[in-house]
Amino acid sequence: MSRSRLAPGVEIVPVPGRGLALRTAEGEFLGVRTKDADEDALLAVLSGAAPAPADGELGRVLAAFEEAGYLTEEPPRPEWPAARRRVRLLGDRVLTAPLAAQLAALGAEPHTTDAQPRHLDDLLRDDPAAVVWCLDGPVPDGLWDAADRLPGHGVAWLRCHREGRQAYVEPPAVAPGDVTSAHVRARRLAATPAHRELAAYWAGPRTTGTPSGATGPAAALIAALLADDLSRWATDTPDTTGLPARRRLRRVDLGTLTVTEHPVLPVPDVAPTPKKNG
C-alpha cells in the first residue's frame, strides 16, 4: 500500500488555472512553481505511489519541499512497550470507559475498578505501570494524597476531575519532583483571590441544580487528552506543541469543549522553622 511522503497536516491541491498549491499544517496556502516538472508525477511521488527521482526538475521540487519541512521520513508508529502496558483506571465509569477503549486501541492493557483506595499499597497492587484516576466531580480532601507518592515508586500518575461545567486534566507525574495533585491545589489556591471560597467548594457540601456531569462528547475529549499523554509517556514520544506535558494543567470547558493550557510548577518543600535557643 502506498504511503504519503507529505508531513502530517500538509496537503497539495490543484487550483484551476493556477497549478498546484500547498496547504501548510498551519493552514497557509503557498503556490508550487514546478517549471518543467510533470505535476502528475509530482503528485504520484508525494502520495507514495511512485519513487522519488534522484535528480531533474522533479527532484529539485522535492528537495525544496524537504528543505522547507513539508516531507516526512514516515517513521513507524512506536508500539506501546510491554513493560508499560498495564494501566490501572480508577474513578467514574463515564470517564474511565472511553479512556479504557482508547488505551486498548493504542496497545495498552487497561484494568478498570470502581474502588477508591486510600493507601499506597492498594494502588501498587498488581504492579501497574501507570495509574489514572478520573472523577466526575471535585476531588475530596485527601483522596489523592497516597497516589501523589506513586512517581516515587516508578509508577506514572495521571488524573482528571470535574468542577461544575469545567474539567481539569492535570499534568502527568512520572518521576519524583513532578507536579502532584497537591501542588495543583496549592497553585490554584494561590492564584485566585477567592481562595477561601474555592477551598470551601472542594471541601463541600455543595448544592447543585440541573445535573452537569460530563456528556459523551466531553468524556471522549477528556479521555483522548489522557490517552495521548499516556501514549507519549509510554513510547517516549515528545510533544512539540504547547507547554511541556509535565508542567501543563489543561482546563476543558464542558459547554464548548474548548481546551486551554496553563503552566503549573511543583511547590517547593517548606523548610522547617529554626528553633530558637533558650
Side-chain angles (χ1 to χ4, degrees), residues 42-127:
L42 174 61
L43 294 176
V45 172
L46 293 175
S47 66
D55 50 24
E57 182 60 20
L58 187 53
R60 182 196 66 81
V61 174
L62 291 169
F65 274 35
E66 184 172 16
E67 184 178 352
Y70 298 137
L71 301 185
T72 179
E73 292 295 327
E74 300 175 314
R77 180 176 176 176
E79 293 186 1
W80 201 295
R84 292 181 172 180
R85 282 182 186 156
R86 188 173 184 85
V87 180
R88 189 174 185 188
L89 305 183
L90 304 170
D92 296 312
R93 295 273 176 164
V94 66
L95 295 167
T96 58
L99 177 56
Q102 294 192 34
L103 290 177
L106 290 170
E109 296 176 358
H111 298 265
T112 305
T113 176
D114 295 321
Q116 293 194 349
R118 295 264 183 173
H119 302 289
L120 183 62
D121 289 343
D122 295 330
L123 291 165
L124 293 173
R125 185 175 298 142
D126 299 325
D127 195 25

Side-chain angles (χ1 to χ4, degrees), residues 164-218:
R165 296 298 288 161
Q166 296 82 42
Y168 292 88
V169 180
E170 299 194 7
V174 302
D178 279 349
V179 176
T180 66
S181 68
H183 295 160
V184 172
R185 288 169 82 92
R187 293 294 187 187
R188 289 186 60 196
L189 287 173
T192 175
H195 55 91
R196 295 180 182 85
E197 290 81 358
L198 182 57
Y201 173 78
W202 286 338
R206 295 171 293 274
T207 301
T208 61
T210 303
S212 57
T215 62

Side-chain angles (χ1 to χ4, degrees), residues 94-95 98 165 167 213-225 252-255 257:
V94 66
L95 295 167
R165 296 298 288 161
T215 62
L221 172 59
I222 294 168
L225 296 174
V252 182
D253 186 311
L254 299 180
L257 300 186

